[in-house]
Each structure stands twice: as C-alpha cells, then as structure tokens.
Amino acid sequence: MSQSNVLPRLASPAIRETYPQTHAAFSGMPDGELWFERLVELDAGRHRLLAAPEPMIAYGPPSESRPPVADTFDVIVAGGCFGLIIGATLAAHYGWRVLVFDRHQVGKTHRDWNISRGEIRRLCEAGLFSESELGSFIVAEYDRGFVQFHAEGCWLAAERLWFDDVLTLAVSSDELLAQCRRKLVADGRSQCLDRATLERVQVEEDGVTVTVAGRADERLVFRGRLLIDTMGTLSPIARQLNPRETVSYLCPTVGTVASGFATGTAADEVDARVGEILVTTEHAQGGRQLLWEGFAGRGDEFTTYLFHYAPVADLDRLSLLALFETYFETLPTYKRPGPGFRFQRPVFGYIPGLHHVGLGPQKRTATHRVLLVGDAASLNSPLTFCGFGSLVRNLRRITHLIDLALKGDHLDERSLRLINAYEPGVAIMAAFTRYMVADAGEDPKAVNELLNIVMEALHRLPPSARTGLFQDCMDWGDFVKLMLQMQKLHPNIWEAVPRKLGTVYTSAWVLNFIEFSSFAFQKQLAGLTGQVGRGLREDFHNYATYYRYALA
C-alpha cells in the first residue's frame, strides 16, 4: 500500500474533529483536497528524519538485472522546484541535455517567494532570464519592510527596524517555474517528467543510473553523467550520506494566500506598500515562539506565514497540521478579515538548519557523480526563511561550476563539494537558530527579549549590517560590531550563551567564530593576491576559488 493510501483525508472524521479550523479552511479552498494530501504527506515525512535511512545509492556495477535504459542525459535532476531552476539554466544557458523529474508535478510548489530587486537580478547574471522577463513573475513591489518584536514585560523595546532592500518583491512561484519549464524543453533535447518517484541510484565510475517509478508503478531507467539532488529536507540521498544528522533544527512554516483583508495602516490591517518581514505578537506559549510574516501579492491578495523553530528530535513540536490549526485560530489577531474575505490556497513547508560542530564542513553534500543542492544540502542559514533567496544568490556560481565540472570531468566527490562550498559566515549565523527556540521551563519572553536586543543593536549600526544579517551575507566586521553593540546594551548577555547552547554547542560556536575570522583574513589575502580578480582561465578549480571568496 502506498503512503498516500494510509494518510488521513480531508473529509475524515478524525481531521474534522481534531483540526476543525483547518478542515473548514481547506474545504473552502480551490483544490483544497489536493493541497491537503500534499500537506499530510509532508507532515508525516518528518518522522523519517529520525529513522534509519534506507539505502538509495549503490556503488559499482549493478548486481541485478534492470529494465533497459529509456534515455541518456548529461544531467539528471531529482526535484522539480529549485531543481527546475537549476536544470533550466544548465539547459537553456549552457546547452546541456537535462532531465528534471518530480514525484508530483515539475514546476509546482506549495510556497510563494519574496526577494529583493537586487537579488532577483542574479537570475539574469546566471543567464536564465533577461531583464525584460523578470516583470512577468514579479506580482508586487513594496516601498519598504520592517521587523518588530513583542516587548511586553521586556526590559528593552526596540522600535520597528525598517529595510529598503530586503524581501521587497513578491514573486509568483507558479509563473517563474512555468517559464523555467518552457525554457528547459524549448530545444526538444531536455525533458520534464511528472509523477516520478526516485527508487534507486546506481553510481558507477563512468556514470550514474537512476531508476524511477512512474505512473501505474512503471519502472523507468535513465543514464546520466551527474545526478543533482534537490529533493529538500527529507531527501533520502541526503539522509543516506549523513546518517548521523541531516539537519539540527526545523522551522515548520504554514500560511495562506488570501484576499479581502481589512486595509489601512493599523497593526491588524494590510498596507500593500509595506512588507512585514518578521513580527511577533505575543510571547512563547506551549514551547513555541510563533513568528509572523505578511506580504501583499497580486491584486488584493495577501500572503501570511506563521512559523517557529524547534530541534529536529522534538517531533511533536514540528507538526504542520497542528501549526495550521493554530494559524487559522490566531490569524484574525494578526490581520483582520474584511468584507469578502476568502482563502485562495495554502502555503507550507519545512526550512532546515544545521548546527555546525567543529571546523570545516560537517555535512556531506556530494558523493561521486551526485551533488546535493538547496535544502537537501542545508548549507544556507535558516534565518533566511526559505531556500529561494539562497538559491538565487548562488545560482550563477552553482550552474557555472557544474558546467565547468562537466566539461573537465570533475565529477568526483571532492570536486563536487566545492560547488556547494561551506561558508563559515553562514555557519556562525545558523547557530543563532538555537536562540529562536523556546525551551521548556524557559521564561516565555526570553526569545522576544533577545530579539529586541538584536534589533536595537542593528538600529545603531550601518544599514549593511541589517541587510547582511537577513541575506546570508553578513561580513566579519559587521558581525563583530553587532556582537559589541549587544554587549553594550546588555552587559550580561553572554552569560546566557552556555545555558542556552550547552557546553558542546558553545564550544562549537567559538570554533565557528575562529573559522569565520580566519576566512575573513583569507578573503582579504585572496583579493590582494589576485585570486578574485578578472581574467581567470576557464578552469573549474580556478573558479571554485574565485566564487568562494568573491561572492562570500
């Protein structure tokens, strides 16, 4: 029996009784039943993160007969969301023959995206879109956005922190991905395959063979030079390569695209010219510090998100269904519905975070002829809210290095891991995820109190510090200034570090900072010695060094 046959359905009495608000909302949405199936499938999948992974990759010649190879490609991409963006760039800009497959539909996702104007232009730099094409999937642009945290009972209440260049654009994921799909198949050499579930990967010295289960359990076999895994947090390949710990934390995220909210400038009204990047409206309850996001979309549509952070081992706190019920109960306290209010569709997902313990990369992001990208690699900071911004910022590096790796046959594990280069600056910021977790027995206002301190410190620093913090690109100087400002605001703040992190993770954070400092020095030295200059020879390892320092 397939997993979809044993999961609860929207119309079941158990769902109606246990999650009445969620049942009512999904029942009234277009395609609500289908969205609910995707939701419960993902929600149930979180339990696999703590289970022993089943081997997906086998090495060497196959030990058993298999169906004949249906087709051969340069690159095979597992995962039809971020993987489609990468695959379309490799096919349309670099000319490689690419197959993208997904267990659902290639080019459909349960998230919408926000990003800045400067970041979205990275899609042009990567060669995927022209400037004139960007407007077709940008559905709204805001004058500015803000961050504000609940401060009742806190000893410091920071004013709203405003941003001019963070998450100021609303992007239609459906339209962007539809264009990527059209670009990928335009020349007739590359393909997209829907309803195909990965079953087995056979890695040999000269190539990789991928077996998928298609419609009606039909087995299809494809051959390629490189397999790219973009299957996200629950990727079976990522779990096999990292059996000890794929991720340390998860950020369950739920929300909706809805229309008909009350409009205006009050806190519980929608102002379409302002993005609400991070907002808390109360202190932690039930072991969850809930955070809101809100962004206008097309017409009078407004997307709201509710999320929190929790250790991956605490599965009860990670339920998307339970969080959705809280979301529908509390949404009117965040944004007030007006006349004609209507839910259009849900948005949901898990954002992964990895706590780096020790020096250097702690996670395998590649093996021979197999590369992990996006949430499967979990190298972006979970403080950036979703992997879209991280992917866009790194798309040129990722696709250019893949192109050079294919041309030079640099498809061994050591070379492929350079494509997803570990960045000490991201590692040290990922440690801050621990401070977003509301621990049992902790003062309910603890998370908000710390966040208010951080925001007040950012008020006193140049705008580059706040932008860097929210775009995974904070440099060493701004980071040190932020730490010193926090120390000035709360001289005893560092006494809480070992209490919150524990001995092991406190030591790891110190090592992360030492490594971050060393990397900053190496970057300066690389600039002085010309390693990040122009005129580089078109060589994989030259550009791996260039991108590591020039774009870090």
Side-chain angles (χ1 to χ4, degrees):
M1 182 178 289
S2 68
Q3 185 186 34
S4 60
N5 289 331
V6 299
L7 293 173
R9 300 183 67 84
L10 179 59
S12 69
I15 294 298
R16 189 166 53 249
E17 294 169 10
T18 309
Y19 306 105
Q21 299 268 4
T22 304
H23 172 268
F26 273 78
S27 296
M29 293 182 200
D31 299 320
E33 180 71 46
L34 293 175
W35 283 116
F36 189 78
E37 288 179 8
R38 295 282 297 271
L39 168 66
V40 294
E41 179 184 23
L42 184 59
D43 192 47
R46 73 185 191 277
H47 295 278
R48 297 201 302 269
L49 287 170
L50 298 183
E54 296 182 7
M56 178 64 69
I57 300 177
Y59 296 90
S63 58
E64 57 187 40
S65 62
R66 65 190 179 203
V69 173
D71 209 341
T72 300
F73 298 87
D74 298 308
V75 180
I76 299 174
V77 183
C81 180
F82 292 165
L84 178 58
I85 297 174
I86 294 169
T89 307
L90 292 173
H93 183 63
Y94 292 102
W96 295 106
R97 191 161 189 252
V98 179
L99 170 68
V100 179
F101 70 89
D102 193 275
R103 66 183 304 172
H104 295 290
Q105 182 176 346
V106 175
K108 285 290 185 180
T109 183
H110 40 70
R111 295 292 299 266
D112 268 338
W113 299 317
N114 292 85
I115 199 167
S116 71
R117 174 69 67 174
E119 289 173 303
I120 201 70
R121 289 195 176 101
R122 299 284 187 92
L123 295 174
C124 303
E125 295 173 10
L128 179 57
F129 292 109
S130 66
E131 285 276 354
S132 61
E133 290 175 311
L134 296 181
S136 63
F137 49 77
I138 296 173
V139 297
E141 185 166 9
Y142 322 117
D143 296 330
R144 53 181 182 164
F146 71 86
V147 171
Q148 186 171 32
F149 299 113
H150 189 61
E152 182 180 358
C154 297
W155 72 272
L156 185 152
E159 296 292 325
R160 281 184 175 180
L161 186 68
W162 290 95
F163 295 80
D164 295 324
D165 54 357
V166 172
L167 304 183
T168 50
L169 300 179
V171 173
S172 168
S173 57
D174 284 347
E175 182 55 36
L176 187 153
L177 292 173
Q179 289 203 39
C180 287
R181 183 162 180 156
R182 289 193 291 269
K183 286 177 177 287
L184 186 137
V185 302
D187 67 358
R189 298 172 62 245
S190 296
Q191 297 179 25
C192 292
L193 183 63
D194 301 324
R195 308 290 188 269
T197 301
L198 181 65
E199 285 202 338
R200 186 173 180 82
V201 178
Q202 191 76 38
V203 177
E204 300 174 62
E205 184 61 35
D206 62 343
V208 58
T209 303
V210 175
T211 302
V212 301
R215 292 182 173 88
D217 291 331
E218 177 189 15
R219 293 319 187 259
L220 298 172
V221 178
F222 300 98
R223 181 80 172 171
R225 295 179 60 199
L226 175 68
L227 171 65
I228 302 176
D229 173 12
T230 67
M231 293 184 289
T233 307
L234 301 177
S235 162
I237 293 176
R239 292 173 57 238
Q240 180 181 348
L241 295 182
N242 300 274
R244 185 179 65 85
E245 184 176 64
T246 307
V247 296
S248 309
Y249 306 99
L250 280 181
C251 174
T253 304
V254 301
T256 61
V257 178
S259 56
F261 281 105
T263 58
T265 57
D268 66 346
E269 295 176 329
V270 166
D271 182 349
R273 303 306 304 170
V274 175
E276 301 193 11
I277 299 168
L278 264 186
V279 175
T280 60
T281 58
E282 58 186 1
H283 294 313
Q285 296 182 22
R288 300 181 304 183
Q289 176 58 68
L290 299 176
L291 301 103
W292 291 95
E293 280 187 318
F295 300 99
R298 183 180 282 112
D300 71 339
E301 290 181 347
F302 193 74
T303 304
T304 52
Y305 300 95
L306 182 67
F307 55 97
H308 69 95
Y309 295 84
V312 71
D314 198 345
L315 291 178
D316 289 341
R317 279 199 281 175
L318 297 172
S319 168
L320 291 173
L321 267 172
L323 186 58
F324 250 128
E325 189 68 9
T326 301
Y327 167 84
F328 289 118
E329 290 172 350
T330 58
L331 176 62
T333 68
Y334 173 55
K335 293 299 171 189
R336 177 164 46 88
F341 177 81
R342 184 168 182 254
F343 292 118
Q344 303 291 343
R345 66 181 177 90
V347 288
F348 52 89
Y350 286 113
I351 302 170
L354 181 65
H355 202 141
H356 300 266
V357 179
L359 297 173
Q362 302 300 302
K363 183 171 181 177
R364 285 184 72 187
T365 58
T367 185
H368 187 64
R369 293 189 179 272
V370 179
L371 173 67
L372 275 58
V373 177
D375 287 348
S378 299
L379 290 183
N380 58 291
S381 166
L383 299 178
T384 57
F385 317 122
C386 80
F388 178 66
S390 177
L391 175 71
V392 171
R393 287 189 292 272
N394 291 283
L395 184 62
R396 182 179 66 164
R397 179 186 77 180
I398 291 170
T399 54
H400 187 197
L401 288 179
I402 290 173
D403 173 64
L404 294 175
L406 289 166
K407 289 176 178 175
D409 204 30
H410 300 292
L411 302 174
D412 57 286
E413 177 175 346
R414 185 175 181 181
S415 296
L416 291 177
R417 290 181 72 169
L418 295 176
I419 296 174
N420 258 336
Y422 161 80
E423 296 179 12
V426 173
I428 200 166
M429 295 311 302
F432 275 97
T433 308
R434 187 70 188 84
Y435 289 93
M436 308 286 277
V437 176
D439 291 322
E442 186 178 53
D443 185 342
K445 65 177 181 291
V447 175
N448 277 324
E449 199 151 54
L450 175 66
L451 293 175
N452 273 283
I453 293 171
V454 174
M455 293 306 105
E456 183 60 32
L458 288 172
H459 270 296
R460 305 182 182 195
L461 295 176
S464 63
R466 65 185 71 175
T467 300
L469 177 64
F470 282 85
Q471 292 184 351
D472 258 1
C473 58
M474 194 175 212
D475 66 29
W476 184 87
D478 283 338
F479 179 80
V480 171
K481 292 173 185 175
L482 175 61
M483 296 299 101
L484 292 175
Q485 281 293 339
M486 291 172 62
Q487 173 74 22
K488 288 180 181 179
L489 290 168
H490 196 315
N492 299 324
I493 193 170
W494 303 118
E495 294 178 4
V497 172
R499 185 168 63 250
K500 188 71 173 179
L501 296 184
T503 303
V504 172
Y505 286 125
T506 299
S507 301
W509 189 85
V510 172
L511 289 175
N512 292 156
F513 179 72
I514 293 172
E515 192 172 29
F516 186 29
S517 302
S518 175
F519 178 78
F521 175 75
Q522 293 171 34
K523 182 178 178 180
Q524 290 292 326
L525 187 62
L528 293 173
T529 57
Q531 293 185 62
V532 295
R534 297 188 178 275
L536 289 177
R537 183 164 49 89
E538 191 76 356
D539 173 82
F540 174 80
H541 289 95
N542 282 344
Y543 268 97
T545 300
Y546 166 77
Y547 286 129
R548 176 166 170 74
Y549 293 119
L551 300 182

